[in-house]
Amino acid sequence: MHHHIAIIGTGFSGLGMGIRLKREGIEDFVLLERAKDVGGTWRDNSYPGCQCDIPSHLYSLSFAPNPDWSRTYSMQPEIQDYLRRTAEKFELIPHIRFDHEVTGATWNEDAKRWEIDTASGRVSADILVNSGGGLADPRIPDLPGLDSFEGTYFHSAAWNHDHDLTGRKVAVVGTGASAIQIVPKIQPDVAELTVFQRTPPWVMPHRDRPISRLERTLYKRIPLLQKVPRYFVYWLRELLVLGLVYRPKALRFLERVGRRHMEEAIDDRELRDRLTPDYTAGCKRLLPSNGWYPALAKENVDVVTTGVTAIEPNGIRDEDGTLHEVDTIVFATGFYVTELPIAERIRGREGRSLAETWNGSMEAYLGTAVAGFPNFFLIPGPNVGLGHNSVVVMFEGQINYTLGAIRAMGRQAAATIEVRPEVQERYNAAIQKKLANTVWNTGGCSSWYLDRNGVNTVLYPDFTWRFRLKTARFDPAKFEFATRSAARPAAELAATR
Ligand code: NAP
């Protein structure tokens, strides 16, 4: 089956792209989804307590507002429900092929199209958009002895809902964004909880509250009203860029806030010392939680900071040689973010995969287009991640730019479009230069923002409104276009428009 456009994934970005295509009047597109439902990350992460740490009014598609959010920070089931309803409302379901995990996608230079192999057969497309997401593939560390474990283990993003934790001895490995939500939720039910912390996070007070019925009614009756909290939260969060990017020292006040937050919940000084980070706040993601520290102070909780050396049939051995006996291990250990498995499956003009091309350090122009990969767009892509604001804002910028590229192809009757290598190179050199002084690179932490070459290929080092300005207008001069017969420089093509 051939389509004009194939999109991989049905999370925020894939659905957003589909909606915008329909609005452009383009109907010949397909969304390839590996699961049986839409939602991506928000479908998969169904662990207890899963909640978005970006406010609801902002964490949604601008063209699909939801006046019904019940809390200022939405819980996962509500976000998943929103994505499902959005897919239905905008009539995307007929475009979705469920159970179609992409196992390979290869550029066919002769036919000038993508040949896409999926778990349920082959499709082809003129244009391929990868909206597979950055937090799509859970990472369980390769620990010796894991196979010998006689209890039950699973990743936070693949929660085993059939496994009742009541009365069990549970270990949670990791203290990132997922763990700090899981621990307070499961602590009251389990018999013993051992938390394995490698690096403590900076944890901030959480300002979550229910949204009143009156507020919801007003948002429904006067949709413009909902833009007030949306813009308020957006601009407030943009202020953080001043510290994160331009003056990391200015973030010190957050460390004071974090320390006080901890002191209010934990009397034990020795425990507080173990939980206090030794890096600048903001270097790793700032985590909001009112439940984390109180949970760690409970009698049935132990925080182990001596590392995980091995898994044994009945527990976890730490670096001091102590065996912590548990019957369940929850790995809240993050995702393959900088080594995306899908990058190994997508092959461009030279037959090389994205992973081979990147060689450990992802890069793209505006996080969206990659030289050597014609008619290919990534939403999200390298360096569009955020530590401070809603990433959906970035996705929408990328969607705008991709639509601009598709329109330009149509105007120029081009069979292919490809970013010029020197444009990509210049863009990424500027991104890396800017990242050099940010808190993520200088804050003294080792985070998943840095890839195996030590390069930050995840975060966007600037205000998101700047990214939106850059992606608002497509610039054909940055790209090579080719007709079916021959390639012509963009400037020449622009002159013929
Ligand atoms: P994460 O932030 O990458 O945290 C992983 C944790 O596992 C870290 O504490 C890490 O320690 C630890 N870890 C990894 N490998 C380990 C090993 N071999 N031994 C011991 N500890 C190990 O992952 P996450 O919590 O799933 O969150 C990932 C991202 O998803 C977040 O940053 C956020 O962007 C997003 N997220 C958002 C929300 C939300 O909106 N509320 C919720 C969940 C996730 P180190 O710090 O030492 O590496």
Side-chain angles (χ1 to χ4, degrees), residues 105-107 113-116 124-126 128 346-347 374-376:
T106 305
W107 174 250
R113 65 186 199 183
W114 286 92
E115 312 285 359
I116 306 158
S124 61
D126 302 320
L128 178 63
I346 296 172
R347 293 190 176 271
N375 298 7
F376 176 66

Side-chain angles (χ1 to χ4, degrees), residues 41-42 45 47 49-54 59 74 79 135 139-143 155-157 173-182 196-201 206 279 284-285 287-288 307-309 331-335 337 386-387 446-449:
T41 299
W42 289 105
N45 283 269
Y47 60 75
C50 184
Q51 182 179 30
C52 185
D53 59 13
I54 298 291
Y59 202 83
S74 312
I79 301 176
L135 303 170
R139 199 184 65 83
I140 290 184
D142 190 14
L143 292 163
H155 189 276
S156 53
V173 181
T175 53
S178 302
I180 70 145
Q181 296 181 338
I182 294 166
F196 287 83
Q197 170 191 277
R198 194 163 64 179
T199 317
H206 202 354
Y279 56 86
K284 281 171 178 281
R285 193 178 175 92
L287 306 179
V308 176
T309 355
F331 287 100
T333 42
F335 299 83
V337 183
L386 298 178
S446 142
S447 74
W448 56 268
Y449 303 144

Side-chain angles (χ1 to χ4, degrees), residues 238-436:
E238 281 294 88
L239 288 179
L240 270 174
V241 172
L242 296 170
L244 295 167
V245 175
Y246 295 97
R247 278 187 70 86
K249 282 200 180 120
L251 298 169
R252 286 277 147 83
F253 79 95
L254 292 172
E255 296 173 16
R256 284 196 296 277
V257 174
R259 275 200 193 93
R260 205 171 313 128
H261 191 42
M262 193 191 312
E263 281 159 13
E264 278 164 12
I266 299 175
D267 294 330
D268 179 349
R269 201 195 166 99
E270 190 274 329
L271 177 59
R272 286 206 308 259
D273 286 346
R274 273 188 284 152
L275 297 174
T276 305
D278 61 358
Y279 56 86
T280 312
C283 184
K284 281 171 178 281
R285 193 178 175 92
L286 292 166
L287 306 179
S289 171
N290 294 338
W292 172 246
Y293 291 133
L296 296 186
K298 291 284 188 307
E299 287 217 332
N300 64 340
V301 180
D302 186 16
V303 181
V304 176
T305 54
T306 44
V308 176
T309 355
I311 309 292
E312 299 191 6
N314 56 348
I316 299 180
R317 180 85 57 188
D318 70 19
E319 275 168 19
D320 283 354
T322 308
L323 177 70
H324 302 268
E325 284 192 20
V326 294
D327 56 48
T328 306
I329 306 174
V330 176
F331 287 100
T333 42
F335 299 83
Y336 289 99
V337 183
T338 54
E339 309 271 350
L340 296 172
I342 191 90
E344 288 165 22
R345 303 177 185 181
I346 296 172
R347 293 190 176 271
R349 191 194 290 289
E350 311 291 333
R352 285 197 309 160
S353 69
L354 262 179
E356 286 160 353
T357 307
W358 284 336
N359 195 19
S361 291
M362 308 183 284
E363 66 166 59
Y365 175 58
L366 291 171
T368 311
V370 184
F373 291 76
N375 298 7
F376 176 66
F377 303 95
L378 286 151
I379 312 172
N383 292 108
V384 298
L386 298 178
H388 73 288
N389 216 330
S390 169
V391 77
V392 182
V393 171
M394 302 296 276
F395 298 167
E396 289 195 30
Q398 294 190 277
I399 291 171
N400 282 339
Y401 207 77
T402 303
L403 287 171
I406 294 170
R407 278 186 220 119
M409 287 178 78
R411 275 199 306 270
Q412 304 185 11
T416 68
I417 185 172
E418 189 179 334
V419 68
R420 293 169 178 276
E422 67 278 12
V423 169
Q424 181 180 319
E425 210 176 296
R426 259 200 315 272
Y427 176 80
N428 280 282
I431 287 274
Q432 289 307 326
K433 190 167 170 213
K434 190 123 199 209
L435 276 163

